[in-house]
Amino acid sequence: MATVGFLHTAHAHVRTFRDLLNQRDETVADRHLVDTGLLAAAREHGAPSVRGALADRLRRLVAEGADVVVSTCSETGPEAERVGERAGVRVLRVDRPMAEAAVLAGRRIALVSSLDEAAATLRPLLHESAAAAGREVRLVEVRCPDTWSAFESGDVLTYSASVADAVRCAVRALEPPVEVVVMAQASMVGAALLLRDLDVPVLTSPRLAVEAAVEAVVPVGR
């Protein structure tokens, strides 16, 4: 059976990605590994400091049958991709499919983050994706750092509502307007659902990452 592994830094992501995978293809199995210490260590000492831990977690998921691993943490994702390449493990950082979709959706992009580190990792990926697509993009950053404490405490509803309010106010005030909104963190999927009243697409990473992972393990035309 085709299996997608997920490496998380928050327990709240397990249900989100499991539900998305079941919606996309119920025949694909899932394996989840949560290590909350990875994000804390990466924020304190830098992402390279968790290379050894990432390699260990990736090997554990592969040992459990994962054909591809989605690294759902935006901050450690780039390092997870590099570690996976060296270890011969297929790793997909959660925000890569979103970045590729965003640069095709518009040239003026709102980049939303509640952690500066998340914006710092997605910013170069967006420019990399734009260059690969032969496009030029302009990033307009929308930061809402005061919201992160709610997510850390487990109050996802308050976090989502606060992020949505900040994005709505910022985007509607921008001139010239943006053409697409990109949520830098997988934790923001709930906020995106509250922004359906915006006149521009709001992209989040989880669904697009799951779709890309399934396409990587399921034969075309099955």
Side-chain angles (χ1 to χ4, degrees):
M1 175 181 289
T3 302
V4 175
F6 295 91
L7 177 57
H8 308 291
T9 55
H11 290 279
H13 293 325
V14 175
R15 181 174 180 179
T16 296
F17 283 89
R18 175 169 288 150
D19 288 348
L20 286 170
L21 182 61
N22 287 336
Q23 291 168 19
R24 177 62 175 78
D25 192 327
E26 292 183 342
T27 69
V28 177
D30 59 309
R31 297 290 184 273
H32 299 264
L33 194 160
V34 182
D35 186 340
T36 59
L38 285 174
L39 179 57
R43 294 189 70 189
E44 183 174 357
H45 304 293
S49 69
V50 298
R51 286 173 183 164
L54 286 170
D56 174 73
R57 309 309 184 263
L58 293 175
R59 284 193 295 266
R60 286 169 58 181
L61 284 165
V62 170
E64 292 179 6
D67 300 299
V68 63
V69 176
V70 178
S71 176
T72 66
C73 175
S74 55
E75 187 169 346
T76 60
E79 201 63 51
E81 276 193 333
R82 287 189 283 269
V83 170
E85 185 176 359
R86 289 194 291 270
V89 178
R90 287 196 293 176
V91 177
L92 174 67
R93 58 183 282 188
V94 70
D95 47 7
R96 184 173 291 281
M98 178 182 67
E100 294 171 349
V103 301
L104 298 179
R107 297 181 184 274
R108 187 168 165 84
I109 301 171
L111 171 57
V112 181
S113 65
S114 57
L115 290 174
D116 289 343
E117 297 90 343
T121 58
L122 182 55
R123 195 181 302 121
L125 180 60
L126 285 165
H127 286 299
E128 173 191 322
S129 299
R135 296 170 68 87
E136 292 184 5
V137 297
R138 170 75 182 277
L139 305 183
V140 181
E141 300 208 17
V142 177
R143 297 179 178 175
C144 40
D146 294 340
T147 64
W148 181 246
S149 60
F151 184 82
E152 283 189 311
S153 68
D155 189 353
V156 178
L157 292 179
T158 296
Y159 173 69
S160 297
S162 299
V163 171
D165 287 343
V167 172
R168 188 178 293 107
C169 292
V171 168
R172 287 178 173 170
L174 290 173
E175 191 60 43
V178 295
E179 297 170 276
V180 59
V181 174
V182 171
M183 304 300 231
Q185 295 148 243
S187 60
M188 293 178 165
V189 64
L193 296 175
L194 302 175
L195 291 169
R196 291 171 175 165
D197 56 323
L198 289 184
D199 295 328
V200 296
V202 179
L203 302 184
T204 57
S205 55
R207 184 178 298 278
L208 293 170
V210 166
E211 290 177 355
V214 171
E215 289 172 3
V217 300
V218 175
V220 176
R222 183 195 62 180

